[in-house]
Amino acid sequence: MQRRSDTQGQAGFNAAIHGLSEGFSNLVRQHVELARHEAKEELKQVATQVIGLVVFGALALVGYLLLLAAIVLLALWLGGSGPMFITCAVLAGLHLAVAGVAIARLSSQLNDSGVRLPQISEELERNKQWIKQLRKSSSPQLPAEPS
């Protein structure tokens, strides 16, 4: 009789462990599915915003080009071809100067905020040292260091 209750207890324990592992795997699966769903939704939102920026940026560019053309044509109408060429040269110089200043500022910001990962670099260096120490102790499990 004692043996039968031990067998039933073991079966109950196994069933409990099995149920627990199934519950845990379901939990993990649901979390992964939720993360995937959230990522898809966020990607859709970002894609919609980027498409809007591209479309309205293109519209703004067309409007800006039309404004520049109107300025040049106004100079042609008011003064002839000489003032038109001067107007074109002034507009081109102005655009090149603004673009140069913007590029200089952006490149300096990029250099200042460069990606620095000191903790990862330190951890990688410690790992290299650890691997070297393991090789020195002639551990047969590690392959030779690649060159």
Side-chain angles (χ1 to χ4, degrees):
M1 192 63 116
Q2 178 69 13
R3 191 149 175 94
R4 187 172 183 188
S5 67
D6 285 344
T7 307
Q8 288 176 346
Q10 184 67 24
F13 180 74
N14 287 342
I17 293 296
H18 180 69
L20 183 64
S21 68
E22 276 189 33
F24 182 73
S25 68
N26 285 339
L27 177 68
V28 169
R29 194 175 312 117
Q30 288 173 356
H31 278 293
V32 168
E33 189 62 34
L34 177 62
R36 184 178 299 141
H37 177 71
E38 287 177 345
K40 282 181 183 179
E41 289 300 316
E42 190 169 331
L43 183 63
K44 284 179 187 178
Q45 248 181 353
V46 168
T48 302
Q49 291 171 350
V50 167
I51 290 170
L53 283 173
V54 168
V55 168
F56 292 118
L59 286 174
L61 179 63
V62 168
Y64 182 69
L65 292 175
L66 288 173
L67 177 65
L68 291 177
I71 291 171
V72 169
L73 290 175
L74 180 64
L76 175 65
W77 183 62
L78 290 177
S81 61
M84 180 190 73
F85 288 124
I86 292 171
T87 302
C88 286
V90 168
L91 287 173
L94 180 66
H95 281 88
L96 288 173
V98 169
V101 169
I103 289 171
R105 281 190 179 175
L106 289 174
S107 66
S108 70
Q109 286 176 356
L110 185 62
N111 288 336
D112 292 343
S113 69
V115 177
R116 294 182 186 96
L117 304 172
Q119 293 175 343
I120 292 176
S121 299
E122 291 171 8
E123 185 65 28
L124 288 174
E125 190 60 38
R126 283 194 298 263
N127 289 343
K128 286 180 187 178
Q129 295 299 325
W130 177 69
I131 289 172
K132 284 180 184 179
Q133 288 176 355
L134 286 177
R135 284 200 183 103
K136 286 180 184 177
S137 69
S138 70
S139 175
Q141 295 138 346
L142 290 175
E145 187 173 323
S147 55

